[in-house]
Amino acid sequence: MRSFLITSTQAGKLPRWALSLLVALYVLPGLFGRDPWATQDAAGFGVANTMASGSFSDWLMPNIAGTPVTEEGPLPFAISAVAIRIANILVPGPQPVAHIATGMVGALGLILLLSLFWYATYQLAWRPGFQPHDPLGAAATRTDFARAISDSALLVLIATIGMVARAHETTAEAAQLVWTCAFLFGAAHSLERPRRGALCAAVAIAATATTSGLVPAALLMLAWLALPLLSQPFRLVARPLLTIGLPVALAGSLVWPALLWFGDEQSRAFLHAWLAWNAHGYGWPKAQALNYVLRTSPWFFWPAWPLAAWAGWRWRGRLGEPALALPLMVAVVFLLAAPLLQAPSETGLLPAIPAIAMLASAGLPTLRRSLVNLIDWFAVSAYTVFGFAVWAYWLAYLTGFPPRMAFRASQIVPGYTLEVSWPELALAGAASIAWLALVRWRISRRPPMIWRAVVLSAGGLVMTWFLAMTLWLPVFNERNTYRGIAGQLDRAVSLGSKCVAAEGLGLAERASFAYFAGLRFTPTGAGCDWRLIQDQGPVARAVPNPEPGWRLAWEGRRRPNLDERFRLYQRLGS
């Protein structure tokens, strides 16, 4: 590749107060002030809440009020369960605080994710082989250049569209983002301190195995083992990888399965079900899965993917540099495995986001002005329109004008009355003004710093997310929570500690009724005098017809879904 020069002005750091504020506005909205949302978020919370109130077997075999959850490992939910137990001790009483505790764990995990990512990028960018050519001694210092690259990479990660919503959920996917960044940090750190770095990367792989399963852990291990083949610096520190990293990763990955295997018959059955999920989750690529990846990737990885593509082209002769080799290898293994998922979803694409964002930062120092202008134009146009739409539909919801917009907004939750929260309104207004000020500063000043190309993309996405999670949070919460319907049941029928058999109840619904209404579900339902049935579609609109020996004790439905109805039946004579 051709040499390039980065001056001290171009390597100017992003003010720490601005970066900290941006991170806070990215992390905090969407984690607090809401209930567990359907479906994956509530299901993940249900596993953690069951652990917190259950026995050792509940920690060993993840379940939601008795229903086994064999599709994921226990690690992230166990961390949330510890937080729930601490919260219950600090805040005793009937007021439920478990979902607040899991929100705090999510916030800390997201901060850890961003911190590990920044330091991993910094260690790679600080290496001499990645520094710009400087025959005249006019370039920025190694520290300033590495810091500018790290700031830019963090902005790219924050700006990536596919991560913002999923990172704020109580799910294994959100936890996997943390472990992926921990692996990137460990692998990068191993270049300077091979033993510590190898240990960190190995622990991240083991955490992946007990969170997302064996295949994602194997993908990280494959990327790690392939790095010495592509990059000479990693080849020089390959011995700790084999003597420390590989044994620790394998041993850590086997701890939980070993506990299940040496347990009772029930735990071994759970292990077999988990292994079967691992075996059948991936297979031969299908046209449907490949089509999903091709359709989803352009917006899911925006704006990271065009910058990463430019970096790969610009550095094509030096892909062995650790700053290129590490993120490239991790991104490639996950992207190649995504079409192999038998049930196509964002789950296969999500772990690739940090690696693609890191790779994208390598292309920013040599980015052409035309591409910078294109990215800026898209950010200003798209996020200004999005922000205006959020405000416009919110005002239409409140005022009823214009009628067409008001009707569409009201259909999110039919019959729900939106009330103004003046503090949230003030925060949303401040965020909008800050966005306009950022656009004006970027266009008028035209700063020469490396991170200039992505600051509008990051700021625009954070502004849009912040508006959605302040102005619209009550509406979204009403649409996605089961607190209301669970409260209706609890007020209508006092069940106490009586067992309830669930039929057709989804995991999110089961978790929510157990938490908000205190229902005690049993795994089989045998011998219970109460049955809670969830009906979907035309059956939900039919007149209830209890089976002989049962009577209808209560029925209700949530306003967002009129084709969903819950019915509680009581055995006659009980």
Side-chain angles (χ1 to χ4, degrees):
M1 63 172 289
R2 292 182 297 176
S3 59
F4 62 95
L5 179 66
I6 298 297
T7 65
S8 57
T9 302
Q10 293 174 307
K13 69 177 182 179
L14 187 65
R16 297 298 98 177
W17 68 266
L19 187 61
S20 300
L21 178 61
L22 191 69
V23 169
L25 294 179
Y26 182 81
V27 170
L28 297 180
L31 284 171
F32 301 102
R34 67 174 180 87
D35 299 324
W37 284 356
T39 55
Q40 291 183 324
D41 184 51
F45 166 78
V47 175
N49 191 46
T50 302
M51 285 183 175
S53 58
S55 61
F56 176 72
S57 63
D58 294 307
W59 294 67
L60 194 61
M61 295 174 284
N63 67 92
I64 299 176
T67 297
V69 180
T70 59
E71 290 78 13
E72 295 163 343
L75 181 58
F77 311 113
I79 296 173
S80 295
V82 172
I84 292 173
R85 285 202 168 184
I86 295 174
N88 288 332
I89 294 174
L90 297 178
V91 188
Q95 183 66 24
V97 295
H99 64 291
I100 300 176
T102 56
M104 295 182 65
V105 171
L108 293 175
L110 193 47
I111 292 173
L112 178 61
L113 181 159
L114 298 175
S115 301
L116 289 170
F117 178 81
W118 192 94
Y119 281 106
T121 308
Y122 180 85
Q123 293 186 45
L124 294 173
W126 190 82
R127 295 185 58 80
F130 188 68
Q131 297 288 315
H133 187 60
D134 185 23
L136 303 178
T141 64
R142 290 173 62 181
T143 299
D144 289 344
F145 177 76
R147 186 172 52 201
I149 291 294
S150 303
D151 290 347
S152 303
L154 190 60
L155 291 177
V156 175
L157 184 65
I158 290 175
T160 304
I161 294 175
M163 194 179 88
V164 59
R166 302 302 296 272
H168 288 78
E169 296 177 337
T170 309
T171 60
E173 288 82 1
Q176 184 54 53
L177 282 170
V178 181
W179 310 143
T180 302
C181 289
F183 171 81
L184 292 171
F185 173 80
H189 194 63
S190 68
L191 295 170
E192 298 297 327
R193 288 180 166 78
R195 293 178 180 273
R196 292 184 184 178
L199 182 62
C200 179
V203 170
I205 293 175
T208 296
T210 51
T211 297
S212 301
L214 299 177
V215 174
L219 293 175
L220 286 178
M221 180 60 74
L222 177 63
W224 200 14
L225 293 174
L227 278 174
L229 304 178
L230 178 62
S231 174
Q232 194 219 8
F234 280 106
R235 197 153 50 243
L236 297 176
V237 295
R239 184 173 181 179
L241 187 160
L242 299 174
T243 58
I244 298 177
L246 187 59
V248 170
L250 291 176
S253 301
L254 293 175
V255 170
W256 176 56
L259 290 174
L260 290 173
W261 177 256
F262 290 107
D264 55 18
E265 183 178 349
Q266 184 181 4
S267 65
R268 284 192 291 272
F270 188 96
L271 174 62
H272 292 152
W274 181 75
L275 292 174
W277 167 72
N278 279 274
H280 298 126
Y282 290 80
W284 291 106
K286 298 179 180 179
Q288 179 187 4
L290 182 59
N291 182 49
Y292 176 85
V293 171
L294 294 177
R295 285 188 296 105
T296 304
S297 295
W299 68 264
F300 192 80
F301 294 120
W302 180 270
W305 74 262
L307 298 173
W310 168 253
W313 171 257
R314 191 66 174 80
W315 291 81
R316 61 189 180 278
R318 297 173 59 186
L319 294 180
E321 289 293 336
L324 282 298
L326 175 58
L328 180 63
M329 192 62 67
V330 173
V332 166
V333 296
F334 278 110
L335 290 178
L336 291 179
L340 304 181
L341 271 173
Q342 297 303 286
S345 68
E346 297 173 3
T347 301
L349 300 175
L350 201 62
I353 289 180
I356 295 176
M358 184 180 289
L359 184 61
S361 67
L364 291 176
T366 62
L367 200 61
R368 294 178 179 176
R369 184 178 296 273
S370 59
L371 188 54
V372 172
N373 293 335
L374 174 63
I375 295 174
D376 278 347
W377 173 84
F378 175 85
V380 172
S381 302
Y383 290 120
T384 300
V385 170
F386 291 160
F388 177 80
V390 171
W391 275 105
Y393 276 96
W394 182 79
L395 290 171
Y397 202 144
L398 279 177
T399 63
F401 182 84
R404 186 181 296 272
M405 291 179 64
F407 174 76
R408 290 177 178 174
S410 66
Q411 293 308 296
I412 298 176
V413 186
Y416 177 72
T417 301
L418 179 63
E419 297 181 357
V420 178
S421 173
W422 295 107
E424 293 181 351
L425 180 61
L427 290 173
S432 302
I433 294 173
W435 164 245
L436 296 176
L438 178 63
V439 172
R440 183 181 182 278
W441 172 82
R442 173 67 181 88
I443 295 176
S444 61
R445 298 291 184 88
R446 297 183 180 180
M449 281 74 81
I450 295 173
W451 43 263
R452 73 191 186 280
V454 289
V455 66
L456 286 178
S457 296
L461 185 133
V462 168
M463 183 271 298
T464 305
W465 175 252
F466 190 83
L467 290 182
M469 292 295 106
T470 50
L471 296 176
W472 286 92
L473 183 61
V475 179
F476 293 154
N477 192 55
E478 182 69 18
R479 176 179 177 83
N480 293 290
T481 182
Y482 289 91
R483 179 194 287 265
I485 192 68
Q488 292 177 29
L489 186 151
D490 190 40
R491 289 188 296 270
V493 182
S494 179
L495 293 175
S497 61
K498 299 174 183 177
C499 74
V500 179
E503 298 181 17
L505 211 62
L507 293 179
E509 294 84 347
R510 190 181 185 94
S512 299
F513 276 101
Y515 179 55
F516 292 117
L519 299 191
R520 188 175 69 85
F521 293 106
T522 57
T524 61
C528 288
D529 294 327
W530 298 86
R531 296 165 58 191
L532 180 62
I533 299 177
Q534 179 181 4
D535 293 323
Q536 300 279 358
V539 180
R541 297 189 293 269
V543 177
N545 184 22
E547 296 179 5
W550 295 86
R551 73 173 185 88
L552 180 67
W554 169 87
E555 66 175 334
R557 62 184 180 184
R558 296 190 308 136
R559 283 178 294 194
N561 191 352
L562 300 180
D563 286 338
E564 174 190 66
R565 188 181 296 270
F566 299 91
R567 294 187 172 107
L568 180 69
Y569 293 95
Q570 181 184 16
R571 191 190 303 273
L572 293 177
S574 62

